[in-house]
Amino acid sequence: MGSTTPATRGGTAGREDTRRRGAVVAALMLAMALAALDSTVVSTAVPQIVGDLGGFSVFSWLFSGYLLAVTVTLPVYGKLSDTFGRKPVLVAGAAVFLLGSLLCAGAWNMAALIAFRIVQGLGGGALQGTVQTLAADLYPLAERPKIQSKLSTVWAVSAVAGPGLGGVLAAYADWRWIFLVNLPIGAAALWLIIRHLHEPEREKTQKTRETGKPGKPGKPGGGENTARARVDWAGALAVFACGGVLLTALVQGGVAWPWLSAPSLTLFGIGLALAGVVVVVERRAAQPIIPGWVWRRRTIAAVNLALGALGLLMVAPSVFLPTYAQSVLGLAPVAAGFVLSVWTLSWPVSAALSQHVYRRIGFRDTALLGIGLATLILCAFPFLPYPGSWWQPTLLMLLLGGALGLFQLPLIVGVQSTVGWSERGTTTASVLFCRQTGQTVGASLFGAVANGVLAARLGGAGDLDSVTRALDAGTAPEATRRAIADAVHAVYLGATGAAALAFLVLLLVAPRRFPVRQE
């Protein structure tokens, strides 16, 4: 073999690093696709699942259980990734997710399937949070929009394709394949992560420069002396219990029982008591799961609140627009899905282009521009004519996706750039947690708004679900269609308020220039 010059060795090392990073990015995209698919893939297979396992009265927990588990574990995984590194958390989360998928495929009744979906969600929380954190670790600030737009595209396409894939598998194979297909995809992602992800030693010295406290070798991101890098398991359990109880109360309130019923009030009471326990435990913990600085720093607090409002407003189109398209516009389910899915075309494109805007005017002002446009677009929806044409809400959704891409990605990239390695997992998890919680609150709040408007228009004759079923059966009069249009218009006005709230939070709380750390 010939001799190798230093330049050649440097070039070879650079190509090897690029290859490894490409393999890790591929694994992150596969993991993101799994997390997104499993949020929606079950929806169109419910008739086959219920026909096989029974349990129609509780099938909604197939969705709620998974999403609750994902949401309440996000803060825990964020802190664990800052303490022990991203790789062990991502590997453990992927393994739990795949175990849950295998168990779901072998479920023998609805109760078992719901329990195993919760196991899936416990792994899904690690996939969502750690993938977003690793994306920021792998790329410098100038290149982060590239990877974030890729992940946004994967999420959007997977979420939209999920129901169709679930329907095809349930119709032409067996509903159990919905979960079995996760195994080869997840195994490929897991293999790529184990083989190619090597967290660099430089991260261990970063915190030393920040605090002057050296970390012992062997722990990536060793922000603290490894002898003191212990996990706040009491805080993790308290956060998990509190989040689970409160989110269950929100998900089931007004659905499984009335809002002011004994079960609802009991759950809210227990949840508030557990919130007090969380505060006490976390204040005493040396390494709290939810550290106080997440809310004391203006930038992080503002982004958390703004993306919580984003989760709230996203419920209007994602939950209520398909009902509007079918019941008011008279579209078939596939066409109604298209009306919703067009925002997945403009959102990633806008997100990818947002870097050209925030490099000129800053993260906050770019997000303000995006959410300002989104407010106007949402406000326009109630003014659509009745019954209107399919292209009108489709155009609004295309514009809304573009506005929200301009809003969300600068905030995520910006807030991740204000913290070092040892705080990035916690920061990213807090942002995602707030967005997920906003969606849960929005589903409950806007569901109550829609049902209240219907009751007022129809003299108390049923809720949105029963009315739309009557429309599908062809037994509802024209007045009912108008009532549904009014109900969805009211929901969009609520979403407009959520967008305006996000605008005010950024304007009044967020600093005009994010305190970006020098890399």
Side-chain angles (χ1 to χ4, degrees), residues 103-131:
L103 292 172
C104 285
W108 54 90
N109 58 34
M110 184 62 75
L113 183 57
I114 290 170
F116 298 148
R117 280 283 284 172
I118 292 174
V119 173
Q120 258 195 319
L122 296 178
L127 297 184
Q128 283 197 31
T130 314
V131 164

Side-chain angles (χ1 to χ4, degrees), residues 35-36 38-40 60-74 117-118 120-122 125 128 155 247 251 436-437 439-440:
D38 271 73
S39 299
T40 59
S60 63
W61 273 98
L62 292 176
F63 315 100
S64 301
Y66 176 83
L67 293 175
L68 288 175
V70 168
T71 303
V72 299
T73 54
L74 279 168
R117 280 283 284 172
I118 292 174
Q120 258 195 319
L122 296 178
Q128 283 197 31
W155 182 273
L247 291 174
V251 168
Q436 294 274 101
T437 302
Q439 287 182 272
T440 304

Side-chain angles (χ1 to χ4, degrees), residues 15-33:
R15 288 193 295 272
E16 177 68 14
D17 288 343
T18 300
R19 187 182 66 83
R20 286 185 179 277
R21 188 169 71 168
V24 173
V25 169
L28 297 185
M29 295 175 72
L30 289 174
M32 182 64 77

Side-chain angles (χ1 to χ4, degrees), residues 296-304 361-368 410-411 414-415 418 503-516:
R296 286 195 298 268
R297 298 181 191 175
R298 286 177 58 196
T299 304
I300 301 175
V303 172
N304 282 344
I361 65 175
F363 293 114
R364 190 202 71 162
D365 289 349
T366 303
L368 280 173
L411 292 183
V415 78
T418 65
F503 184 93
L504 290 176
V505 165
L506 291 177
L507 185 65
L508 301 177
V509 180
R512 183 170 184 181
R513 295 292 178 185
F514 281 18
V516 175

Side-chain angles (χ1 to χ4, degrees), residues 52-64:
D52 190 10
L53 302 180
F56 177 79
S57 61
V58 293
F59 82 86
S60 63
W61 273 98
L62 292 176
F63 315 100
S64 301

Side-chain angles (χ1 to χ4, degrees), residues 23-398:
V24 173
V25 169
L28 297 185
M29 295 175 72
L30 289 174
M32 182 64 77
L34 285 178
L37 277 172
D38 271 73
S39 299
T40 59
V41 71
V42 178
S43 58
T44 48
V46 166
Q48 289 80 6
I49 295 174
V50 171
D52 190 10
L53 302 180
F56 177 79
S57 61
V58 293
F59 82 86
S60 63
W61 273 98
L62 292 176
F63 315 100
S64 301
Y66 176 83
L67 293 175
L68 288 175
V70 168
T71 303
V72 299
T73 54
L74 279 168
V76 178
Y77 285 127
K79 182 61 179 179
L80 289 177
S81 74
D82 284 342
T83 304
F84 299 110
R86 323 299 188 211
K87 184 174 182 176
V89 173
L90 186 55
V91 168
V96 171
F97 182 88
L98 293 179
L99 174 62
S101 299
L102 184 61
L103 292 172
C104 285
W108 54 90
N109 58 34
M110 184 62 75
L113 183 57
I114 290 170
F116 298 148
R117 280 283 284 172
I118 292 174
V119 173
Q120 258 195 319
L122 296 178
L127 297 184
Q128 283 197 31
T130 314
V131 164
Q132 293 279 6
T133 305
L134 263 172
D137 291 344
L138 289 171
Y139 287 85
L141 175 58
E143 298 181 44
R144 280 177 197 156
K146 183 190 303 181
I147 180 61
Q148 289 289 355
S149 63
K150 288 180 180 178
L151 294 177
S152 296
T153 302
V154 170
W155 182 273
V157 171
S158 300
V160 171
L165 177 62
V168 169
L169 290 174
Y172 296 103
D174 186 273
W175 63 265
R176 298 178 190 273
W177 280 99
I178 290 172
F179 304 105
L180 290 174
V181 295
N182 290 340
L183 301 181
I185 299 173
L190 197 56
W191 181 81
L192 289 171
I193 289 294
I194 292 172
R195 181 174 176 84
H196 294 289
L197 177 58
H198 302 293
E199 296 182 89
E201 293 289 326
R202 63 181 173 79
E203 302 295 2
K204 302 174 194 175
T205 62
Q206 178 177 325
K207 186 72 173 187
T208 301
R209 293 194 301 270
E210 296 167 7
T211 65
K213 298 178 181 179
K216 292 183 179 179
K219 292 291 182 183
E224 313 295 338
N225 190 307
T226 52
R228 296 187 289 113
R230 56 186 182 272
V231 180
D232 174 26
W233 293 116
L237 180 61
V239 169
F240 189 87
C242 176
V245 170
L246 286 176
L247 291 174
T248 299
L250 288 170
V251 168
Q252 296 299 100
V255 179
W257 48 70
W259 283 108
L260 298 180
S261 64
S264 186
L265 296 176
T266 299
L267 282 175
F268 277 115
I270 294 173
L272 292 176
L274 288 172
V277 173
V278 170
V279 172
V280 172
V281 170
E282 294 296 83
R283 291 184 66 179
R284 294 179 177 178
Q287 303 281 338
I289 293 295
I290 304 180
W293 55 260
V294 168
W295 292 103
R296 286 195 298 268
R297 298 181 191 175
R298 286 177 58 196
T299 304
I300 301 175
V303 172
N304 282 344
L305 293 173
L307 290 187
L310 171 65
L312 194 69
L313 71 88
M314 284 177 62
V315 171
S318 60
V319 175
F320 293 91
L321 185 60
T323 297
Y324 177 90
Q326 292 181 68
S327 302
V328 177
L329 302 181
L331 300 180
V334 173
F338 172 77
V339 172
L340 173 62
S341 66
V342 291
W343 74 344
T344 65
L345 303 176
S346 55
W347 190 319
V349 173
S350 174
L353 296 176
S354 67
Q355 60 179 310
H356 302 294
V357 183
Y358 68 64
R359 285 173 180 168
R360 289 178 175 271
I361 65 175
F363 293 114
R364 190 202 71 162
D365 289 349
T366 303
L368 280 173
L369 175 63
I371 198 62
L373 293 172
T375 304
L376 296 176
I377 295 164
L378 289 166
C379 187
F381 191 91
F383 295 98
L384 293 179
Y386 176 87
S389 179
W390 65 270
W391 66 267
Q392 294 164 334
T394 302
L395 176 61
L396 290 183
M397 287 301 298
L398 191 67

